[in-house]
Amino acid sequence: MATDHAPPPVEASARLLLPQILPALLVGVGASLLFLGISALAEEFQHVLWNDLPDALGIGNYSSLWMIVMLTATGIAVGLVVWKFPGHAGPDPSSEGLGGTPHAPGVVPGLLLASTLALAGGVSLGPENPIIASNIALTYWLGRKAAPSMPGAAWVALASAATIGALFGTPVAAALVLSEALAGQPGRGSLWDRLFAPLVAAGTGALTTQLLSQPSFDVGLPPLDDPGFGDILAALVIASAAALFGLAACYLFPHVHAAFRRLRHPMVMLPLGGLTLGLLGALGGHLTLFKGLAETKELTASVGSWSSGELMKLAVVKLLALLVAASCGFPGGRIFPAVFIGASFGLCAQALVPEIPPAVAVSSAVMGVLLATTRQGWISLFTGAVLASSPTMLAVLCLASLPAWLIVTGRPQLELDHEGHSLR
């Protein structure tokens, strides 16, 4: 018997979802191409700055002097962009997370140029925040012109999902981030209905990236085949300790940011920040420069050859570099540097207790640092799992995330509001 509360036919939902496929495909390809283009440009420029130029001058490319000179010069170059370019390379990066309100399209050239210079110059920030913000701005602007009837929030969701899929090389990361974002938002239809078009965009972005560059987060750790009670206990302790370690930067962040803001002008804040990063690079070595993913792979390729003191030094210096870079005005994201910090911290724990498998130590520590610095539960769990490239690690990390989350929840984040106060 028919009732007034009968569910709508499946065809009605399909008719609403099918027209979203083409826009999602276009946004997925476009977002991935912008990410790949900026990444390739930054890598080429990095090679010139850190290989060709010092070789031509007869200077060691990672000598202390060259690191100090290059990071200071990067601060000057980014400062000029922030000072003189239209839009000033966007809002204060300390208040920018993954996504957000679309910027005006005029902001995008300066934001991308500043981000490219920072990536090439060795600043300890990743590409994710500027690339996502740029893709959102362009997608929202073009989408509202091409299809004004489509809600603006839909274009934002497509651009965010497509870029996250491109960054991680898989739509799974985008699905996790978006499901977390949508969990507390009212909306019509089921969660999967709302995720349908963003997942198309994320899958297209990921596939485009895979076809053109084949990215990988696998850092070559020996897989964990049969975890035991000792492995689970080690993961619980390391994830919790790493979360506390990451929280130290979160508590310091508003104070360091306020100190740089007192300098007022970008041509003072950014060069001084670059000089500080150069000095930190001279202290920690070249592995503490740049966004951190390639450096993480270099670090894990030589497990056992680093002492616990050396590894803790790398973790501390990189954490301070991330703190300074995020405070003084460089555009960039926190995820990639946090991966290096967590890997160094985890390998330090493994060096102190060699019985701990490297996969357990690194994955747990990366997850803990990411939980503290990003407060993105799913993305932290996902990143920790893919680093080990071991399905059995997922169950271990799920358990290890629980005490780590109790430590970080309600605490300051490595992100500020527009008044310079910590988000919680």
Side-chain angles (χ1 to χ4, degrees), residues 124 242 245-246 249 287-288 291-292 296 299 311-312 314-323 334-348 361-362 365-366 368-370 373 414:
S124 293
F245 184 68
L287 287 181
T288 60
K291 65 181 181 182
T296 300
L299 184 67
L311 290 163
M312 182 52 67
L314 289 174
V316 171
V317 170
K318 188 68 172 182
L319 188 71
L320 292 174
L322 171 58
L323 179 62
R334 285 76 154 156
I335 293 176
F336 288 89
V339 168
F340 181 88
I341 294 165
S344 303
F345 189 92
L347 288 176
C348 174
V362 171
V366 166
V369 173
L370 280 171
T373 54
L414 203 63

Side-chain angles (χ1 to χ4, degrees), residues 293-316:
L293 185 57
E295 290 70 30
T296 300
K297 293 179 180 180
E298 185 175 345
L299 184 67
T300 55
S302 52
V303 173
S305 61
W306 299 85
S307 70
S308 59
E310 291 171 327
L311 290 163
M312 182 52 67
K313 178 182 175 182
L314 289 174
V316 171

Side-chain angles (χ1 to χ4, degrees), residues 333-381:
R334 285 76 154 156
I335 293 176
F336 288 89
V339 168
F340 181 88
I341 294 165
S344 303
F345 189 92
L347 288 176
C348 174
Q350 196 271 335
L352 290 171
V353 186
E355 292 79 14
I356 300 174
V360 171
V362 171
S363 295
S364 302
V366 166
M367 182 185 67
V369 173
L370 280 171
L371 283 173
T373 54
T374 70
R375 218 53 49 88
Q376 298 269 352
W378 285 121
I379 203 69
S380 302
L381 183 61

Side-chain angles (χ1 to χ4, degrees), residues 30 37 206 250 399:
C250 299
L399 294 174

Side-chain angles (χ1 to χ4, degrees), residues 83 108 132 134 139 144 156 182 213 216 269 288 312 320 339 374 409:
W83 181 27
V108 172
I132 291 174
S134 298
T139 300
R144 297 293 283 171
V156 172
L182 291 173
S213 71
S216 173
M269 292 188 297
T288 60
M312 182 52 67
L320 292 174
V339 168
T374 70
T409 186

